[in-house]
Amino acid sequence: MTLDALKFADRFDGISGSAIREIFKMIAKPGMISFAGGNPSPSALPDDLAAPIAKEVLEQNGKAILQYGATEGYPPFLESLRAYAEKSVGCPLPGILPVTGSTQAMDLLCKALINPGDTILVENPSFLGNLQCMRLYQANLVPVDSDEHGLMLDKLEEAMKTYHPKMLYVIPTFQNPTGKTLAEERRKPIAELAAKYGVVVAEDDPYRDLRYDGVPCRTIKSYDTEGWVVYLGSFSKVISPGMRVGYLAGDSRIVRKCTLGKQSSDLHTANLTQAIVDQFLRRNLLEPHIQEICKGYAEQLHAMLDDLAAFPAGTTFTRPEGGLFIWVELPEGIDTKPLLEKAVERHVAYVPGTHFYALGGHENTLRLNFSNSPVPVIHEGMGILKDLFTEAL
Amino acid sequence: MTLDALKFADRFDGISGSAIREIFKMIAKPGMISFAGGNPSPSALPDDLAAPIAKEVLEQNGKAILQYGATEGYPPFLESLRAYAEKSVGCPLPGILPVTGSTQAMDLLCKALINPGDTILVENPSFLGNLQCMRLYQANLVPVDSDEHGLMLDKLEEAMKTYHPKMLYVIPTFQNPTGKTLAEERRKPIAELAAKYGVVVAEDDPYRDLRYDGVPCRTIKSYDTEGWVVYLGSFSKVISPGMRVGYLAGDSRIVRKCTLGKQSSDLHTANLTQAIVDQFLRRNLLEPHIQEICKGYAEQLHAMLDDLAAFPAGTTFTRPEGGLFIWVELPEGIDTKPLLEKAVERHVAYVPGTHFYALGGHENTLRLNFSNSPVPVIHEGMGILKDLFTEAL
C-alpha cells in the first residue's frame, strides 16, 4: 500500500508549523530587513571568544566531552550553572537541569505534566513557539488578559477557579511578543495563587538580563515557598542561540520527572556546548558581554521607538525597558497578515500579531524585533513600513 | 497547597528511568570495569581532530554557527550529510533531518506517529532506551521473536496481521543488545511486509559501520519502494556520542512531520556540533577513523569471546561480526539482576538482560559491552564474572 494510507498522530491535527519558522524561510533572501525573528545582533554573538574556548575545552577535557554524558548535565557546567542561576533567580534551586535550549524545557515540562485536555493558562498574546509546543501535548489553552503591567491578578484567579489549570505559562520580563514586564507587586501574588490553586507556573525568563532602563524585578520563583514555580532560563539571548543551551530549575521532584523525559528526548545536551557556556561563566565573561550588547540594543530600541512616532494616527505601541521586541497595534481595519507579503516585496519583514494569540484575532497587531538590525537599517525599514501601513488605511 | 498535590502526566505511570542510566550512576567510581554502557573506547574519541576543527569552524563561520539555525539543519552539514547518508544507506533519501542524537529521532518518530494505545512491534530483546521512549508515548509494545538470523518473518507477518501495528522498531545490524545481524534475505521481505500491512519501519542502524568480519548487508531502507521505512543514523559510535548528532531519513512527508515536532522539541540541533561532523565528512576523516577503531574493537570482541568459553557449562552467547555488544545466556536459575550488586562490589558492571525485554523475564541473560575496556581489563573483568556466575550455580 502507498504511504498515502499513513495516518499521523492526533496531536498534529491542526498543527501547521511555527509561523515564525515559515516566515524565516520566506525572508531568507539577501537584502531583506528583518524585524521578524528574535535573533541576537550578529555583533552580539561572541565568535571571537567562543573559537579559542572550544579548542581549549576539547584539548583539556576532550575525552569526557566527546563521550556520553549524564542526562543531568556536564558536571563542571552543572556546578557553574547552579552558582550563576541561584544568583540570577535570587533563591536556592534544589533541582536544576541543563537543556537543549529553553524550547526543550517547555517540551519536558509539558511531557512531565500535561495529559490531553489539561488546561494551560497563557498570556494573551504569548510566545507562539511555546503555544505550538503546548498544542502538540493537546493542552486546552486558555488566555488570560493583561494590562500594561502584565497579567491581571483578578482575571488570573478567576481563570484558576474556573478552569482548574495544570499550568500557567508566563514570560514576566520584556515579554515575547509585547515587550511588557510584569509589575513587581504582582509577582508574589502569582506565586501565592499558584500554591493556593495547585497550578505549576512555568516562568520563562530568557530576556531578564537584557535591561536597558528601569529597575530589575524579582523573579516569581524567588517568592515561591511551595515549589509550584519552575524557572526556565536560557543563554540564547546573552551568548548564542545556535548553541542550544538553557536550563530548567525548581523543585527536585519536577526536575527529576523532566530528567526522565529528557533521557528519551535526546539523552543529554551536547557536552561541548555546555562546556563552552561553562567557560563563559567561570571566566566571568558573561557580565561584561551583556553590558556591551545592552548598549547597542538600547540604541536600536530607541531608534525604532522614534520611528514609530511617525506611524499612522491611531497606532499604539509598547515602550519596553529591555528585551528584543516592540508590540504595535495599528488602527482597526488594517490586517497585518496579508500586508506581510507586500512588506516582503519591499524587503521588510515582521510577524503578524495574530499568530501570538491562542485564539487568533487581533489582525491589526504586529511584533517588531530591533536587535537584529543596525540603527540605519531600522530607520530604512521602519520608513517602508510606515508608508505601507499608511497606504493601507 | 504543598507540591505533594501535584499529579504528573499519565505517560509516566510505571516509568522509572532507563536501567542503564541508573547503572551508570551506580558504577561511577574509580577502578570500575564497566561492560555496562555502550560507550565508545576513549581511544576512539577523536579529540585531537575535533579541537582544531571546532576552532576553525567558529573562526570561519562563527556568526552563522552561533546564530539561530534552521530546524531542517545547518545548511553545509545538510549537504555533506545527504551525500554521506545516500551512499551509506544505498538509496536516494528525499527527506533527511539532522537530529540531536538518534535518541531524538525515535522521540520525533513517536511524536509524529503514535497515539496512546497504538501498537509497536519490537524485537525481543531490544534497546531499552528506545523501549522507554515508546512507553512514554503510551504505545502497546508487542515483542516479535528472533532466531540467530534476526526477526523471524512468519512471526512478524503474524504479528502484523493480529495487532495492526503502527510501527516496527528494528536494529538490523549488530543489534543492541544481542549483537545479532538480520540476515540479508530477510531484509527485502520486511520492506515488503511493511508496505503490505501499512506499517512504518524504524530501521535503527547506528552500528552499521563497526563491522570486523563478514560481508555488509543492504539496509532495509534500500529495498523500500513505498516510503514506509525510516532510517535512523548516528555519528555517536563512529565520531562522538557526546556531540549528539544523528539523522533521520525517509519519505519527505514523514520527515516533514518530524521536523514540525522538532520545532518545539529543541528548535534545532546545535550548529556547532553539526559543523564539526560536517568537517569530518568533507575532509574524508570518517572512513580512516572508522578503519582504525574497528581494528581495536575487533581485538576487544575476540578477547571477550575467548573469555566466555570459560564461563559455566550451559552458558551460550552470540558471536557478533561487529558492533559493541555480546549477549550471554547463563544456565537457567541464575538471576543476573541481584548478582549485579555483587559484581559491582567486585568492581565489574554489566546490564541484566531482563531490562531489554518489553515484557520482562529472561533473568538468566546479560549484555556485555567490550568497546569501553582495553583487552587486559576485559580479561580481568571477565575472570571476575566467571567466578561470580560459577559461585551462583
Side-chain angles (χ1 to χ4, degrees):
Chain A
M1 86 182 65
T2 73
L3 201 61
D4 294 336
L6 178 62
K7 172 89 183 67
F8 289 104
D10 295 343
R11 64 179 65 83
F12 277 91
D13 292 353
I15 299 278
S16 58
S18 154
I20 289 190
R21 306 297 291 174
E22 301 307 316
I23 290 170
F24 270 5
K25 280 185 241 170
M26 181 162 105
I27 65 179
K29 308 176 198 173
M32 184 66 61
I33 298 174
S34 176
F35 303 142
N39 289 16
S41 165
S43 67
L45 297 171
D47 51 335
D48 50 338
L49 294 170
I53 286 176
K55 182 161 178 269
E56 283 164 39
V57 295
L58 280 166
E59 280 169 353
Q60 285 160 20
N61 209 13
K63 295 298 185 195
I65 288 171
L66 296 183
Q67 190 55 277
Y68 279 114
T71 306
E72 289 80 359
Y74 178 64
F77 179 51
L78 209 47
E79 188 183 88
S80 61
L81 172 65
R82 186 182 298 275
Y84 161 81
E86 292 193 342
K87 193 177 156 205
S88 174
V89 180
C91 61
L93 298 170
I96 189 161
L97 177 69
V99 292
T100 309
S102 70
T103 299
Q104 189 184 49
M106 197 65 212
D107 185 64
L108 295 177
L109 259 188
C110 287
K111 197 174 254 191
L113 294 170
I114 302 301
N115 287 324
D118 279 352
T119 293
I120 303 179
L121 302 181
V122 297
E123 291 170 283
N124 199 33
S126 184
F127 171 42
L128 61 86
N130 280 347
L131 296 181
Q132 176 175 316
C133 177
M134 298 174 213
R135 287 191 182 109
L136 274 176
Y137 283 90
Q138 297 163 283
N140 171 36
L141 304 189
V142 173
V144 177
D145 285 337
S146 294
D147 59 21
E148 67 273 32
H149 301 296
L151 277 176
M152 293 157 79
L153 295 177
D154 54 340
K155 302 277 187 187
L156 180 61
E157 181 156 17
E158 196 187 307
M160 286 185 174
K161 270 190 202 162
T162 309
Y163 296 101
H164 307 285
K166 197 71 188 250
M167 199 195 289
L168 162 67
Y169 173 64
V170 55
I171 308 166
T173 319
F174 317 132
Q175 199 240 12
N176 181 359
T178 63
K180 289 179 189 172
T181 292
L182 181 68
E184 178 65 52
E185 62 271 20
R186 294 188 187 177
R187 293 178 174 228
K188 191 177 180 196
I190 288 181
E192 289 168 345
L193 285 173
K196 181 171 175 191
Y197 293 98
V199 179
V200 171
V201 177
E203 181 179 19
D204 187 12
D205 211 15
Y207 311 106
R208 178 170 184 76
D209 288 330
L210 299 179
R211 174 173 284 280
Y212 323 130
D213 203 2
V215 181
C217 297
R218 281 180 55 176
T219 62
I220 302 171
K221 178 67 194 163
S222 72
Y223 290 111
D224 174 30
T225 56
E226 298 297 335
W228 290 93
V229 182
V230 179
Y231 189 85
L232 280 54
S234 172
F235 295 96
S236 290
K237 310 303 182 186
V238 293
I239 300 180
S240 153
M243 298 255 228
R244 315 305 303 133
V245 180
Y247 63 97
L248 175 160
D251 182 90
S252 310
R253 285 163 287 181
I254 298 179
V255 173
R256 167 78 189 140
K257 208 56 94 172
C258 292
T259 306
L260 268 181
K262 185 169 168 65
Q263 280 183 0
S264 62
S265 288
D266 65 359
L267 202 55
H268 66 83
T269 297
N271 294 323
L272 179 56
T273 52
Q274 293 186 72
I276 293 171
V277 176
D278 174 53
Q279 288 300 311
F280 271 82
L281 298 179
R282 283 178 195 270
R283 300 181 190 185
N284 294 313
L285 297 172
L286 193 54
E287 216 165 303
H289 181 65
I290 289 172
Q291 283 177 9
E292 197 183 308
I293 60 181
C294 280
K295 259 187 258 169
Y297 285 173
E299 285 173 21
Q300 288 160 278
L301 165 64
H302 292 124
M304 192 173 264
L305 286 172
D306 289 347
D307 292 335
L308 277 164
F311 267 42
T315 300
T316 61
F317 51 91
T318 55
R319 295 185 163 278
E321 295 186 328
L324 303 177
F325 305 110
I326 301 172
W327 183 250
V328 182
E329 254 186 88
L330 297 169
E332 288 280 346
I334 295 190
D335 188 340
T336 61
K337 207 171 158 186
L339 282 173
L340 176 60
E341 273 180 52
K342 289 191 183 173
V344 168
E345 278 170 25
R346 301 183 194 184
H347 297 273
V348 185
Y350 58 82
V351 183
T354 186
H355 298 301
F356 298 95
Y357 287 94
L359 308 178
H362 304 261
E363 286 81 4
N364 59 325
T365 60
L366 65 150
R367 188 191 75 174
L368 294 174
N369 164 269
F370 51 83
S371 61
N372 194 39
S373 309
V375 169
V377 174
I378 287 176
H379 290 320
E380 188 190 342
M382 291 297 282
I384 292 168
L385 288 186
K386 184 201 71 177
D387 292 344
L388 180 72
F389 296 141
T390 308
E391 290 162 26
L393 273 176
Chain B
M1 86 182 62
T2 74
L3 201 61
D4 295 336
L6 177 62
K7 171 91 182 69
F8 288 106
D10 295 342
R11 63 180 66 85
F12 277 91
D13 292 353
I15 299 277
S16 58
S18 154
I20 290 190
R21 307 298 292 173
E22 301 308 315
I23 290 170
F24 271 6
K25 278 185 242 170
M26 180 163 107
I27 67 179
K29 308 177 197 169
M32 185 64 61
I33 298 175
S34 176
F35 302 142
N39 289 16
S41 165
S43 66
L45 297 171
D47 52 334
D48 50 338
L49 294 169
I53 287 175
K55 180 159 180 268
E56 283 164 40
V57 296
L58 280 167
E59 280 170 352
Q60 284 160 22
N61 209 13
K63 294 296 185 195
I65 287 172
L66 297 184
Q67 190 54 276
Y68 280 114
T71 306
E72 288 80 0
Y74 178 64
F77 179 52
L78 208 47
E79 190 183 87
S80 62
L81 173 65
R82 186 183 298 275
Y84 161 81
E86 292 194 342
K87 193 177 157 206
S88 174
V89 181
C91 61
L93 298 169
I96 189 161
L97 177 68
V99 291
T100 308
S102 70
T103 299
Q104 188 183 50
M106 197 65 212
D107 185 64
L108 295 177
L109 259 187
C110 287
K111 197 174 253 193
L113 294 170
I114 303 302
N115 288 323
D118 279 352
T119 293
I120 303 179
L121 302 181
V122 297
E123 290 170 284
N124 199 34
S126 184
F127 171 42
L128 63 87
N130 279 347
L131 295 181
Q132 176 175 317
C133 177
M134 298 174 213
R135 287 193 181 106
L136 273 176
Y137 283 90
Q138 297 162 284
N140 172 35
L141 304 188
V142 173
V144 177
D145 284 337
S146 294
D147 58 22
E148 66 272 31
H149 301 297
L151 278 175
M152 293 157 81
L153 296 177
D154 54 340
K155 302 276 187 187
L156 180 60
E157 180 156 16
E158 196 187 307
M160 286 185 175
K161 270 189 203 165
T162 309
Y163 296 101
H164 306 286
K166 197 68 186 257
M167 199 194 289
L168 162 67
Y169 173 65
V170 56
I171 308 166
T173 318
F174 317 132
Q175 200 239 12
N176 181 359
T178 63
K180 287 180 191 172
T181 292
L182 181 68
E184 178 65 51
E185 62 272 19
R186 294 188 187 177
R187 292 178 175 230
K188 190 177 180 196
I190 288 181
E192 289 168 346
L193 285 173
K196 182 172 174 190
Y197 293 97
V199 179
V200 170
V201 177
E203 181 179 18
D204 187 11
D205 211 16
Y207 311 106
R208 180 172 184 74
D209 289 329
L210 298 180
R211 175 174 282 280
Y212 323 130
D213 202 1
V215 182
C217 297
R218 281 180 56 177
T219 62
I220 303 171
K221 178 68 194 162
S222 72
Y223 290 111
D224 174 30
T225 56
E226 299 297 335
W228 290 95
V229 182
V230 179
Y231 188 86
L232 280 54
S234 172
F235 295 96
S236 290
K237 310 303 180 185
V238 292
I239 300 179
S240 154
M243 298 256 227
R244 313 305 304 132
V245 180
Y247 63 97
L248 174 162
D251 182 272
S252 310
R253 285 162 286 181
I254 297 179
V255 173
R256 167 77 190 140
K257 207 59 91 172
C258 292
T259 307
L260 268 180
K262 186 169 167 64
Q263 280 183 2
S264 62
S265 289
D266 65 359
L267 202 54
H268 65 83
T269 296
N271 294 323
L272 178 56
T273 53
Q274 294 186 72
I276 293 172
V277 176
D278 175 53
Q279 288 300 311
F280 270 81
L281 298 179
R282 283 177 195 271
R283 300 182 189 184
N284 295 312
L285 297 171
L286 192 54
E287 216 165 302
H289 181 65
I290 289 172
Q291 283 176 11
E292 198 184 307
I293 60 181
C294 280
K295 260 187 260 170
Y297 285 174
E299 285 173 22
Q300 289 160 278
L301 165 65
H302 292 124
M304 191 172 267
L305 287 172
D306 289 347
D307 292 336
L308 277 163
F311 268 42
T315 300
T316 60
F317 51 91
T318 55
R319 295 186 163 277
E321 295 187 328
L324 302 177
F325 305 110
I326 301 173
W327 183 250
V328 182
E329 253 185 88
L330 297 169
E332 288 282 346
I334 296 189
D335 188 341
T336 60
K337 208 170 156 184
L339 282 173
L340 176 60
E341 272 180 52
K342 289 192 183 171
V344 168
E345 278 169 24
R346 301 184 194 183
H347 296 274
V348 185
Y350 58 82
V351 184
T354 186
H355 297 304
F356 298 95
Y357 287 94
L359 308 178
H362 304 261
E363 286 80 6
N364 59 325
T365 60
L366 64 149
R367 188 191 75 175
L368 294 174
N369 164 269
F370 52 83
S371 61
N372 194 41
S373 308
V375 168
V377 176
I378 287 177
H379 290 319
E380 188 190 343
M382 291 297 282
I384 292 168
L385 288 186
K386 184 201 73 178
D387 293 344
L388 181 73
F389 295 141
T390 306
E391 291 163 23
L393 271 177

